Amino acid sequence: ATARAGRALAGCVIAGDAIGLVGELGAGKTALVSAFVEALGVPEPATSPTFTLVNEYRGGRLPVWHADLYRLERARDLDELGLDELFERGGVVLIEWADRFPILPRDHLIVRLAHAEAGRTLVIEPHGPRTTALAAAWQQALQGA
């Protein structure tokens, strides 16, 4: 179901979308990104950026930047990553552990993943007009999948 959600999201995004992924360890953040990147047609598999902090994927419908803030301890460390610049580069930015620091642009989508008795839950929280439309399109794509 997490992979299906990632594939459905990939069909709905446009250049400039910013998506924050929130959830405990093992909740499915990287699994969602993996399916997302694959569905965009990126020729290489997505891997966790826990140690590299930012992975870039090209060769698909849109460029993708996948960041992981888990290991960052201070907000000033974000400057070195250059995330602010990525939001303006014409691709999609997905940030795991996005709730650790206020880095996302004003119009962004939060995806909350959590463990549940029967698997996982996924909650979509749009913050702005573009991501409200994105959330609606994603929900519609999930219902049709």
Side-chain angles (χ1 to χ4, degrees), residues 20-38:
L21 303 165
V22 176
E24 58 207 22
L25 288 170
K29 297 178 297 294
T30 302
L32 186 128
V33 173
S34 258
F36 175 88
V37 166
E38 180 182 348

Side-chain angles (χ1 to χ4, degrees), residues 8-99:
L9 177 60
C12 302
V13 294
I14 62 172
D17 283 342
I19 301 165
L21 303 165
V22 176
E24 58 207 22
L25 288 170
K29 297 178 297 294
T30 302
L32 186 128
V33 173
S34 258
F36 175 88
V37 166
E38 180 182 348
L40 280 176
V42 173
E44 64 194 78
T47 58
S48 175
T50 299
F51 295 102
T52 58
L53 302 179
V54 179
N55 288 341
E56 180 178 356
Y57 300 102
R58 292 195 174 268
R61 181 171 69 83
L62 292 166
V64 176
W65 291 276
H66 176 203
D68 187 327
L69 306 183
Y70 182 73
R71 292 182 9 149
L72 293 185
E73 295 182 17
R74 299 172 307 238
R76 68 177 175 208
D77 294 337
L78 292 168
D79 294 337
E80 294 175 27
L81 293 180
L83 292 176
D84 287 340
E85 297 166 13
L86 295 181
F87 295 125
E88 300 172 12
R89 291 179 88 185
V92 179
V93 179
L94 298 111
I95 301 178
E96 294 190 33
W97 300 96
D99 55 337

